[in-house]
Amino acid sequence: MPSRSTRPPRRSRYRGLDKTRLQHHFTGAAVNLARLDAWLTGRPLARTRISPFAALLSAG
């Protein structure tokens, strides 16, 4: 299987406004599907940040 190169997020694979818009819609749909999967399975997308105030409360 050939390796695929990934593009930076701000670069479009296509030329032209219509194809670029379609790429944006597909990218957004893929992100939403990943979020939906994480929500349905109960898996967090990322670690939640603990504020300094909450860290003080849990330490004391």
Side-chain angles (χ1 to χ4, degrees), residues 2-6 8-9 17 19-21 28 32 37 39-40 42 44-45 49-50 52-53 59-60:
S3 65
R4 295 158 107 184
S5 64
T6 58
L17 204 53
K19 288 184 179 180
T20 301
R21 176 179 284 158
N32 286 337
D37 177 58
W39 182 68
L40 289 173
L45 289 175
R49 184 183 74 84
I50 299 174
F53 182 69

Side-chain angles (χ1 to χ4, degrees), residues 31-49:
V31 169
N32 286 337
L33 285 174
R35 288 177 178 172
L36 181 64
D37 177 58
W39 182 68
L40 289 173
T41 59
R43 179 179 41 91
L45 289 175
R47 250 182 54 208
T48 305
R49 184 183 74 84

Side-chain angles (χ1 to χ4, degrees), residues 3-17:
S3 65
R4 295 158 107 184
S5 64
T6 58
R7 297 186 194 301
R10 295 198 179 256
R11 299 289 297 226
S12 178
R13 178 180 179 169
Y14 303 106
R15 286 182 151 191
L17 204 53

